DNA sequence: TATGAATGAGCATTCATTCAT
DNA sequence: TATGAATGAATGCTCATTCAT
């Protein structure tokens, strides 16, 4: 199943179907995004999707992988470029919300999947995200930028704040995400910094 | 439809069915919580649920009303009893997590419903929650306990932190919610307080 | 099941239920006139209808009997009062349409039943109606008022003309039934009379 | 949706399903002609009918279209071929009853549908039929073949006479429809002609 | 007599999937 | 590779009926 084992045309088909799946998930919601609807969007038969992906579960999996890569590619370099934990945390907020802004539909599709496929293989993803945040936090504590606090609750709060955004993005698509990112960064800067 | 117009036995059946619906929603998830599954759990025929509730929508509605009442009864008095905004915010975290601790399955069921009925009548619920938080924040700014900040982003962060909890509760049912509440309260105390 | 074997109160209940069944059939149509709907209209439980009538079939049967009696009581004396077959035929049209005018809902209920319960026990009713018409026609031929023609086709045409009316009554409730009766009488007077 | 856009095999399936629907409607009646029964008759799963027709409503629609075309193709040329209104009226009876004779089951199916879908889209069909008859009648009055009479009652009587036939056809499938047509034509010839 | 709780069968529909072509 | 025909299971729902009280 490695990407190298696929012909060019197959790769193109997969990409096209994934795009249409994202479109369907983001605009129709998980429940309405049936294979038939996705297939119609892709101007393709439902059978073909099963042919390329083996089934719905694997299509969803592929969508998740696609969007996660999209997010990681955009966010990770920005965060790693920072030289202090404080800056890294700020970059974390900014790049997350930048991603939501630049890839609204993929983001919404991903949210739909995570939220609906409770026992899907992405539950781990959430944990990974938490652990990543904790790394930044631990770094800040080591350098003395951050006060002493338990990592997990702070990570939950940070991740929760970010995860709360898409829901409001859905209602108010024109929300000022840049301003929101700045505010969130400030909030958690105050919450984490070593008391003056 | 007032509860007084119902027989004792009907009230009991409704309660039993609501309980089983909560059980099904919490353990199986929204998608798998079909009328048939709920009925089987209640050792009852699916038709009977329609008989008592009129249909699935109204059953869900009844579940929401039940859980919301449970939550409000537990949380509201605690929050209103506080005399400072700082204490109110702390009580907000504590009572929310206390509710999650004491009524884990109802909470999970409610989350399933809110999250899946994207365009349902519960979308508003989220907004109400935000506005409630903003009232407390505005109060704290008026009294001078809190610094100046934009209400909406702070409210989003607070609500997000709380909403993030059930998801972890699902994986680690024995998580120390009391400790978590204290940590969250501290985090947002630092984030909101007038700088020293 | 003879009416004498029933108590007064039972008779009253039956009458009330029959009335409500007629109301439901006429206003909602056969398909929508479920036991539950009829029961709600009668402010009674569905079970009680089964108790009094044994089941839906027998309720329908009772409705048919009721309406047929209503019709017969109104029409038969008028027709029998005539001294010539020509007048009897005219009275047949007039009294039929008078019945439709005076008992619109019972009539519509009866039509619903006949039309929907294809294999019900009222198929015979239609035949009886035909035979009755044929008697009048035969009488007219005997007295020399009517020309020679085959009875059955003429009876079918006459009955068909009458049966066509309710359908138009449904669309245009204010149709001038008196005028229509006169026209129909004229039409079949010309069709049946001995050629001048 | 044009017939050209359908595969040969799909067209065949549709035809087969329509045939089975007609069979079910004619022999079982509207109420009993469920998707499941039709599917069983067609040795096919109920889902396939939805696949080909989208749903029950559209299947019924297709049946109506099919039968109406059948009827129109047979009747219209015969009626239009006549040069006098009197002949046209006779042709109207003859071709109607010829259609009933040659396509008994389609006719019965159509009657079931029209009669049961009280508020469906076929109620208009009845009105169209009346108007068509009135055109012939008006023509005859213009040419002086027919006497002066109100069009609507005469049309009702004519249409009623024809509509009465299927009901008798149901009980006595071997009824001599040719003879009946001749008799009906005579009856309305006498009723409409200018008095000698 | 009458109720209200409960059943079980039947309904149309949707869906992911399979398979011959 | 890709199609379109077909399946079978599941879903929510309605209905006439039954039965203990």
């Amino acid at each position: 199943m490695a990407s190298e084992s696929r012909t060019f045309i197959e790769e193109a088909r997969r990409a096209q179907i994934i795009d249409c799946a994202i479109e369907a998930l983001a605009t129709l919601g998980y429940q309405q995004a049936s294979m038939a609807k996705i297939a119609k969007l892709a101007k393709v038969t439902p059978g073909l999707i099963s042919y390329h992906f083996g089934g719905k579960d694997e299509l969803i999996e592929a969508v998740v992988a696609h969007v996660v890569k999209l997010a990681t590619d955009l966010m990770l370099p920005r965060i790693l470029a920072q030289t202090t934990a404080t800056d890294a945390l700020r970059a974390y907020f900014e790049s997350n919300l930048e991603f939501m802004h630049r890839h609204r539909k993929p983001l919404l599709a991903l949210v739909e999947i995570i939220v609906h496929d409770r026992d899907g293989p992405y539950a781990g993803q959430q944990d990974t995200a938490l652990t990543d945040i904790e790394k930044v936090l631990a770094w800040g504590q080591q350098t003395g930028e951050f006060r002493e606090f338990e990592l997990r609750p702070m990570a939950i709060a940070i991740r929760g704040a970010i995860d709360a955004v898409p829901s409001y993005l859905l209602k108010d698509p024109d929300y000022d995400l840049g301003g929101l990112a700045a505010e969130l960064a400030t909030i958690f800067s105050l919450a984490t910094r070593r008391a003056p």
Side-chain angles (χ1 to χ4, degrees), chain A residues 10 22 120 128 135 168:
Chain A
E10 167 155 25
I22 287 173
T128 305
K135 281 178 194 158
Y168 301 101

Side-chain angles (χ1 to χ4, degrees), chain A residues 53-113:
Chain A
F53 291 91
K56 197 184 191 186
D57 292 358
E58 292 172 53
L59 168 61
I60 295 294
E61 225 171 304
V63 168
V64 170
H66 174 78
V67 181
V68 165
K69 176 160 171 34
L70 223 52
T72 307
D73 286 355
L74 187 145
M75 291 162 44
L76 206 56
R78 291 211 196 181
I79 296 166
L80 294 181
Q82 309 307 317
T83 54
T84 69
T86 309
D87 286 347
L89 192 54
R90 176 169 302 270
Y92 189 77
F93 282 108
E94 285 173 352
S95 60
N96 260 286
L97 270 64
E98 167 89 16
F99 172 69
M100 294 181 192
H101 178 66
R102 298 236 310 252
H103 301 288
R104 216 173 130 255
K105 282 185 176 174
L107 180 268
L108 292 176
L110 183 62
V111 169
E112 284 291 313
I113 292 170

Side-chain angles (χ1 to χ4, degrees), chain A residues 88-164:
Chain A
L89 192 54
R90 176 169 302 270
Y92 189 77
F93 282 108
E94 285 173 352
S95 60
N96 260 286
L97 270 64
E98 167 89 16
F99 172 69
M100 294 181 192
H101 178 66
R102 298 236 310 252
H103 301 288
R104 216 173 130 255
K105 282 185 176 174
L107 180 268
L108 292 176
L110 183 62
V111 169
E112 284 291 313
I113 292 170
I114 289 174
V115 137
H116 284 77
D117 254 26
R118 212 164 62 145
D119 306 319
Y122 348 93
Q125 215 93 32
Q126 269 175 303
D127 221 69
T128 305
L130 269 200
T131 313
D132 286 346
I133 296 173
E134 287 173 345
K135 281 178 194 158
V136 175
L137 297 176
W139 174 26
Q141 288 183 333
Q142 264 183 337
T143 63
E145 297 169 70
F146 294 167
R147 64 180 176 91
E148 291 305 310
F149 49 77
E150 282 186 49
L151 298 180
R152 177 65 31 143
M154 184 66 77
I156 288 178
I158 291 172
R159 193 62 229 168
I162 292 171
D163 288 338

